[in-house]
């Protein structure tokens, strides 16, 4: 859940950055200093995706071996409420 929120916020930031860069380029201004920021953001996106794939793989492996997943109190509470 944390990865989804962070990735969504980063995508919104990328959209704002690209929109700003497009406006500056149309106005004839230099945008060369903003490209490294965008590249860094894309590297962070890649790291989040790799981490998400690893987490999915580990979760799937735990489910296949029969180990019960550890649930936090919020998940247990929401499941308990939905049963009523």
């Amino acid at each position: 859940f944390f990865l989804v929120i962070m990735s969504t916020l980063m995508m919104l930031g990328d959209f704002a950055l690209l929109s700003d860069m497009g406006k500056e380029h149309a106005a004839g201004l230099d945008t060369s200093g903003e490209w490294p920021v965008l590249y860094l953001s894309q590297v962070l996106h890649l790291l989040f995706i790799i981490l998400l794939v690893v987490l999915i793989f580990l979760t799937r492996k735990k489910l296949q071996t029969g180990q019960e997943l550890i649930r936090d109190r919020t998940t247990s509470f929401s499941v308990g409420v939905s049963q009523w």
Side-chain angles (χ1 to χ4, degrees), residues 11-76:
M11 286 190 327
L12 291 173
D14 289 346
F15 177 76
L17 180 62
L18 285 170
S19 176
D20 185 47
M21 289 171 65
K23 290 175 186 175
E24 289 178 5
H25 182 70
L29 299 173
D30 183 32
T31 59
S32 62
E34 296 179 19
W35 285 104
V37 175
L38 184 64
Y39 293 147
L40 177 64
S41 176
Q42 294 305 309
V43 168
L44 289 176
H45 278 293
L46 180 63
L47 291 175
F48 275 132
I49 290 170
I50 290 170
L51 182 59
L52 187 62
V53 169
V54 168
L55 288 174
I56 288 172
F57 178 74
L58 291 175
T59 303
R60 183 175 178 204
K61 189 174 181 180
K62 284 181 183 179
L63 286 174
Q64 287 176 349
T65 60
Q67 295 177 353
E68 187 174 332
L69 295 176
I70 298 173
R71 299 178 189 264
D72 62 359
R73 292 179 184 172
T74 307
T75 305
S76 298

